[in-house]
Amino acid sequence: MNDEKVAADLRTTLQYLNSSSQKLDENLEALQHNFLFRGYFKRKARREVRDSARNKQ
């Protein structure tokens, strides 16, 4: 891979992926605090705690 153009394109793609991932994390965090979805995430958290307690036994 000595082609500089391919390497530059690859770097750009990785930068875009990184920024997209950060934006997705921010959006998911905001979604968890949205009143329409808050109940879903609370139930999911309770279910995960209950499941992990059962797995420890």
Side-chain angles (χ1 to χ4, degrees), residues 20-38 40-42 44:
S20 296
S21 176
Q22 290 174 351
K23 290 176 184 178
L24 180 62
D25 289 343
E26 291 173 2
N27 288 338
L28 288 175
E29 182 67 27
L31 185 65
Q32 289 180 359
H33 298 290
N34 183 308
F35 76 97
L36 294 173
F37 294 98
R38 195 177 304 146
Y40 167 77
F41 288 107
K42 285 183 180 181
K44 182 179 176 188

Side-chain angles (χ1 to χ4, degrees), residues 9-57:
D9 288 343
L10 187 58
R11 278 191 207 97
T12 304
T13 301
L14 290 174
Q15 288 174 346
Y16 287 148
L17 286 173
N18 189 25
S19 68
S20 296
S21 176
Q22 290 174 351
K23 290 176 184 178
L24 180 62
D25 289 343
E26 291 173 2
N27 288 338
L28 288 175
E29 182 67 27
L31 185 65
Q32 289 180 359
H33 298 290
N34 183 308
F35 76 97
L36 294 173
F37 294 98
R38 195 177 304 146
Y40 167 77
F41 288 107
K42 285 183 180 181
R43 286 189 301 274
K44 182 179 176 188
R46 277 186 265 153
R47 195 174 335 130
E48 288 174 356
V49 168
R50 185 180 64 228
D51 291 344
S52 68
R54 286 182 183 170
N55 290 337
K56 287 183 181 180
Q57 293 177 355

